[in-house]
Amino acid sequence: MKRTVRVPATTANLGPGFDSFGCALGLYNTYTFEAIDGGLEISGCAEKYCNPKNLSVRAYELTLREAGVPYTGLRMEMLETQVPVSRGLGSSAAMIVAGVVAANAEAGYPFDNRKMLELATRIEGHPDNLAPAFYGGLTASMMNDGIPDTVTYKMAEGLRFVVCIPTFELPTAKARKALPETYSRADAVYNLSHGAVLLKALETGDKPVISRALNDRLHQPYRFSLIPEYETVRRIALESGAIAFCISGAGPTLLALTDDRNFAGRLSARLAKETQKGWKVLSPDIDRHGAIVTEE
Ligand code: HSE
């Protein structure tokens, strides 16, 4: 049977929630999966991804194995790719989630979101992009001995994320290498207090508190220099009325929060005039469903 899987883009960290917070966005990758008797056929993506190391294939095999269902072979097609690669919008998480969800369907739906997230995290290493791709909406996750727990939060009506996507890529591995191994107690307290306050403020829509809470000391200060024009884009976003501003995931996409439907247009016009890195401004809805699988 052929299955179609649609997975949303995700923005992770949201400032202080390093490796924990994430939100699903209404930009989608769509794939088809079909179990076949022998072989691996991948189409619709770059040649370098057409092999057994493909993250969707690895996730598919892992999930079938965990369900006790033999893997016989796979035909997979990437039908539509709206999530840009290596930009901090969860493209690898989307690949992994697609494979897990497709294999879960193939196995007769033995696993709930939490178990699927556990399997996906074995490949990705951290749950912040994966959790919203499974659950939809705004999520916070924690890990204990490889087992995740995720809670979902409401976002106040009218709040939306605006993403500024540059033409250049920033591999997550490089952005993680830039981080220190240890942090001071002051920095740990700063982030946990800001994170806790941010989630409630996003729920109530308290804009002044959101703008003070959406800050961090664990990752962003070490990554600014990896993102050309970061400071310029930030200044223009704040001058254009952003409530708050941060790096999306590990970057290089930058994220602004707004409740003004005209903000994205204003920002886009100024970035086109005042920057050189081809920043594309999108204002996707928040995705509330997470990954969806349909059967033909
Ligand atoms: N939390 C991750 C990071 C997101 O900031 O490195 C990217 O996968």
Side-chain angles (χ1 to χ4, degrees):
M1 185 191 293
K2 196 180 195 178
R3 296 186 172 81
T4 303
V5 180
R6 193 188 78 163
V7 188
T10 46
T11 181
N13 298 332
L14 300 171
F18 178 64
D19 278 2
S20 174
F21 300 173
C23 187
L25 303 174
L27 295 170
Y28 299 95
N29 280 359
T30 308
Y31 314 73
T32 59
F33 290 82
E34 193 178 359
I36 55 174
D37 282 332
L40 174 64
E41 299 171 20
I42 303 177
S43 56
C45 59
E47 191 64 35
K48 63 177 174 178
Y49 301 119
C50 297
N51 60 62
K53 284 192 194 152
N54 180 299
L55 288 172
S56 293
V57 177
R58 284 176 56 201
Y60 184 90
E61 285 194 54
L62 170 69
T63 306
L64 279 191
R65 198 161 53 242
E66 191 79 8
V69 174
Y71 171 79
T72 56
L74 176 65
R75 181 178 297 132
M76 178 192 141
E77 184 176 2
M78 287 199 70
L79 286 185
E80 195 181 0
T81 313
Q82 295 181 348
V83 187
V85 175
S86 265
R87 297 297 204 294
L89 286 168
S91 61
S92 22
M95 295 289 294
I96 296 167
V97 169
V100 171
V101 165
N104 190 49
E106 180 68 24
Y109 300 96
F111 301 138
D112 60 9
N113 273 341
R114 183 173 183 236
K115 178 67 187 179
M116 289 197 285
L117 175 58
E118 179 201 325
L119 296 174
T121 305
R122 283 190 214 163
I123 297 176
E124 173 97 328
H126 37 87
D128 47 340
N129 285 103
L130 298 167
F134 281 116
Y135 290 82
L138 173 64
T139 60
S141 304
M142 65 179 183
M143 299 295 293
N144 284 291
D145 300 324
I147 311 293
D149 282 291
T150 294
V151 289
T152 56
Y153 286 83
K154 288 203 178 70
M155 287 242 315
E157 206 57 44
L159 281 183
R160 40 194 310 120
F161 292 111
V162 171
V163 291
C164 309
I165 310 169
T167 46
F168 59 88
E169 299 184 358
L170 175 56
T172 299
K174 183 174 174 192
R176 289 183 83 80
K177 241 191 214 145
L179 307 182
E181 281 298 322
T182 56
Y183 296 93
S184 68
R185 178 164 62 187
D187 287 352
V189 170
Y190 184 94
N191 267 60
L192 73 85
S193 54
H194 282 66
V197 171
L198 175 66
L199 290 172
K200 189 67 182 177
L202 286 173
E203 202 175 288
T204 59
D206 186 333
K207 293 193 275 182
V209 176
I210 292 170
S211 78
R212 289 191 291 272
L214 207 147
N215 278 308
D216 109 286
R217 289 190 185 165
L218 296 188
H219 68 107
Q220 296 190 129
Y222 308 98
R223 289 173 163 172
F224 295 149
S225 62
L226 302 175
I227 305 174
E229 297 190 325
Y230 169 85
E231 209 30 75
T232 311
V233 178
R234 176 175 181 276
R235 177 179 49 78
I236 294 173
L238 294 177
E239 284 172 5
S240 304
I243 298 166
F245 186 84
C246 63
I247 298 174
S248 175
T253 289
L254 302 175
L255 188 77
L257 191 70
T258 186
D259 62 353
D260 173 356
R261 288 215 161 247
N262 299 320
F263 167 79
R266 277 200 308 273
L267 178 61
S268 179
R270 281 201 58 189
L271 291 181
K273 263 196 234 141
E274 298 173 45
T275 62
Q276 273 82 48
K277 294 291 176 191
W279 298 90
K280 181 167 152 192
V281 177
L282 298 176
S283 181
D285 288 334
I286 291 168
D287 169 90
R288 308 208 178 264
H289 303 287
I292 291 172
V293 57
T294 49
E295 305 188 342
E296 281 175 20

